[in-house]
Amino acid sequence: MVRTVAALPVRGLWALSTVLILASVAGFWLFSRGFLLTRMVLPQHSLPSTLPFTNSSVDEHANEWYPAKFERAIILVVDAMRIDFAAWSDELNTTFSASSPPPSGHRLMPYHNRLPIINTLNTEHPEKTMLYRFRADPPTTTLQRLKGLTTGQLPTFIDAGSNFAGSAIDEDNWLQALRRPSTGPNGKRPRNLVFLGDDTWSSLFPHELSDTQAMEQNDTLWNEGSRGWARVRPFPSLNVWDLDTVDDGVFSRLPFFLLPSESAERDMAPQAAADVRAKRSRWRQLVRQQEMLLHPDFGVSSQSNASNSGMVSAAVGLEQLHNDWDVIIAHGLGVDHCGHRYGPDHPAISSKLAQTNQAIELIIDAVDRSDRATALYVFGDHGMDPKGDHGGDSPREVDAALWIYSNKAWNTKEGKERSSRVLEHASALVKNEPLGAALDDDLKSGWWLNTHLSDDYRKLLEPSELRSIPQIDLVSSLSLTLGLPIPFNNLGAVIPEMFASDTGAGGEWGLLRALRLNAAQTMRYLDTYVESSRSHGFSDDALSAWKLLYQRAEASYQELTALVANNPKARQQSHVMLVEERVAAEYYAFMRVVLGTLRQMWAQFDPALIIAGLAVLVLTTVALVAVYVRSRHISLETMVARMWKQCATGGFIGVVIGRALSIVLVSQSISHISLLEASAAGLAIGVMATSCTLLFFATSDDELSISRPGSLCTRLCSPAALLNTTACVTAIMHGLAFMSNSFTFNEDGIVLYLAQTLTLALVGTALYSLMPSSSSKQKAAGLRALLCTSLILVLNRIASYSTVCREEQLPGCTPTFYGLPSASISGVPLAVANLAMVWLVPFVVLRVLKRSQSHRAMIAKLWISIGMRISMGMSAVYWLLDSIDGNYSSSAMTPSKKSDWSDLRIVLARMAVGIALGGGLAAWYSSPFCLDVVVSSPPSQPTGPVTRSSAKTQASTPQHMAVVLGYGNAFGAAYLVFVTVVFCVLYLVQQPMGGIMISLLFIKLLLCIETFDSLRDALAAPSLLPAQTSMMAILAYLDYFSTGHQFTLVSIQWSTAFIGIREMQLVICGVIVALNTLGSFILASACVPMAVLWNESLGSRVLKLAPESFVARLAGAATLYAGYHAVVATSSAVNAAVFRRHLMVWKIFAPRFMFAVPVFLVSITVVLLVATGFAAMRVLRLGINVGNVRGLPVAKDSGRV
């Protein structure tokens, strides 16, 4: 007879999961909208015909603010060119000369003194050159730096996350002015533009960098008089393992514009033609991927063939490309990718810098040949840290280099001396200002000591002094020298040396004219910003100080004007020149105070949105804990059925109240909350508040009856209760750590302390179970728990030895993730050690399954013993080949040329994933249970006289028994197979040390499962879920740090994005990086259902009779685990809001909150939807209809069941 069993109820689980996840998303969204607001972008544009002074315009024939001193400009961006890459040290060459051995313990860094052309020209032509420390504003990601370098604006913190999905810049910038019709000198001719390199520019400036070649073929569409032509050749930028494609694309096409065409060579003198051919040959030799020269761009060799192929068109031929360009922008990525791939301390970077040096030599040769005044700007958009990464605000990340060269003298000795006096006087003015005391040092002084050089050699060398400017200073300087207006939103000051040698109309000093224009435009911007937003965020003190400084400078300027009004030659007198310098210093000080103040205070916090977001997050955290508490008494179906009407009503009321409050808050200028945000906040708060109230205080008629023997005091003082309490205190302590900035950036040490404390509590509980009063079975379980916890203690300590260091932890922290403190790529010994995990992890899994005899099942033999090892083995070999390639490639070998292992690595990675998903997951999905049936002989019958009853018993006893192996842990073992598949995927995306650490995490999680299962037997405790889920969560955090991560942008391992793929694919690369970064949290979340399923028999009576209560137990474990992460995430948000005016808010508190968001959302999604809703429910559905079978009779003659 077939017995009918209850169906598996899952609608309540999915409903609750959806509501909790959506509420979490709403809370984070609301808080972020209030805390991480973007800067308001003003739509105004500066026009060449309108000066920034009140009611002032330029001469209608001039059409420019400042007379253009350069007709042409070449902008060469060497991505990640740090200042010490460009600076030269004669002392370094002397110390490490070939004739003398290097000092003990020192060696020449591969990136020092590799750009000799800069030093040569600085020495031979100081009037034409200048090298600057080019300080970037964090975040130091390329997209945000390009925004600042074109608009002159400061980035907002939230922009850091958009580095890979940039949207078009719509605020005023010099590229827009350049491409605006009639912006040529004196309005006679539009500007012609060339762009080559990083495709990030194309995403930021889709209209300005729009290639006109196709349009030039159509006379109707093309009107040369109204716009200039453009040649745009972007190249993919995000494949950090490719060192050459972008650089080769730039270097191969620059000769079109810098060298005469091959047809023009026939009209030259033989010597000149030979020289051009030699230069063309040198350009071609710079191209490392010679197949680049087979591109259709190189298909046209003469102007006679003007077609869509090549670089020419019917309207613009090769001669026009060479003679008529105005601005060339070339952005190479080789140095940056070399840093990401190998780190700066690698021979490959020396090779890349040598290639860059040759390119600069060839560009300078073309500049010197030109009969038009041409400026060359060579700069890095950011630097790189000792590991080759960037994105943060450490000194080596923000200290880029800027080198300016021109074929026209612009930096005369007299101009340099006058600009130095302006800087000194401005520095004194800034330091005396109340707002200036707290400014960054780079704004107080225009000079900087190159400590990077001396630090690399342990103070063996004396640091040299260099000029220092913020990056955004380039914007106003570049604009004015090209005859363009300064962009409307610009905050940077002009570079004094570029104008100090100029004399304008009426003998006015060029620097004074430029600074007055600069300051007037900034004041106009500030006034417009204040008028455009009532909640602008500027303090009254700041506004007053800015206006006072500007008015003081303007008053001084008017006095100077009156002084020279009747004496045109007075400007040549020394005392008048000193007055000019003093007035210029006042304008310069005004610019520096404005910039420094906005660096500190530019954050428009919205208190209403912040409070609403925090309220939702707190209520969600409470709801997660409440679901666990109620899941012990009622089913999820009952919860949902009894709450949904009240929750809907609460949500509706919340929406009405929220919209009404938003109208009041906006009208009073307290908040700028929109109706959509107010509705979302009201809905989320209303639903979650109603849910928490009903879950905690409402009663149900059909609550499960739970017997609780003993008095209340006895229960509270029991070992199980004390252990659960310790776990709760651990979660609270983790959250409270964010109340201190030092605890926040030392979170890895805090997490280790909490993990070891909780593990020691487990050790104490295990020892308690070994008391003499315990039964032998309890003692055996206690010994098992003691062994497992001891192993966890040891493995936690081992995990703590793998780390990367935050800037704030230095020098007290030593990075070990890559093997050696100075290494930036994994060493081969680490990759070899990673191979041991291929044997160790499957061995541990099989050993755990052996307790229930589940290891003898076919799926265990095929997948865990064979398939899992093959998948892990391919992953380990992938990283071994990668480490060999990274550590043993020499500077003589082109680093980016794909080795013979390149295709093999891709195949290995894809096969590893294919075996895990196509083999392991498919096998698990079709037949997850680790069961085996063996035929055993019946127990021997007692000897003695045969009676009628004994004969009857012998006759009814089968001759053989079919024993089901793995029956007692059927659900736990089946689910474990699913987790092994997840582990194999995560193992692939971790670097060698990360692979070792995540393997140890998997082992610790299995030991944790065994520990708590044994403690439940030893203590006869009904539930240890609070302690168990807290332990799993804290282990996930510990492994996050041990796999080479910190809660900083710079620690993200971007190089893993290209595992198994050749080209940049945004979605796939993003998923791989996310798996690498959040791998520990994904694995721990996937293991949570085992806390309930482990050692659960296939014949579980609870599952047969009340499946809804079993599902509720699973949901309770999942929500309790998510609750730990909710406590951490909510605490990070609360402390970020509390310390929003703290000096370290954008460096420590805000990044910690931003990382808490994906950690929590990924954890709650995986544990509720993937682990519980999908995998656990799949296992339960397949096992729910299996009868309570222990043995089956087998026919004696056939051996069949």
Side-chain angles (χ1 to χ4, degrees), residues 252-311:
S252 63
R253 288 163 177 80
L254 276 177
F256 280 110
F257 313 98
L258 300 182
L259 295 178
S261 65
E262 294 180 3
S263 60
E265 293 177 14
R266 292 191 287 269
D267 300 328
M268 297 180 180
Q271 183 61 37
D275 187 52
V276 171
R277 286 194 295 271
K279 295 295 188 299
R280 197 184 310 278
S281 176
R282 287 185 62 190
W283 275 112
R284 289 174 177 169
Q285 291 173 7
L286 281 182
V287 180
R288 294 183 173 181
Q289 299 174 343
Q290 288 295 305
E291 59 270 20
M292 179 72 71
L293 300 176
L294 301 178
H295 191 275
D297 279 349
F298 306 94
V300 179
S301 60
S302 68
Q303 188 174 343
S304 60
N305 182 14
S307 63
N308 275 334
S309 62
M311 299 285 284

Side-chain angles (χ1 to χ4, degrees), residues 29-48:
W29 177 66
L30 291 168
F31 181 84
S32 299
R33 290 287 296 162
F35 183 75
L36 300 175
L37 290 180
T38 56
R39 169 179 49 85
M40 182 175 61
V41 175
L42 299 182
Q44 287 84 353
H45 291 74
S46 296
L47 299 177

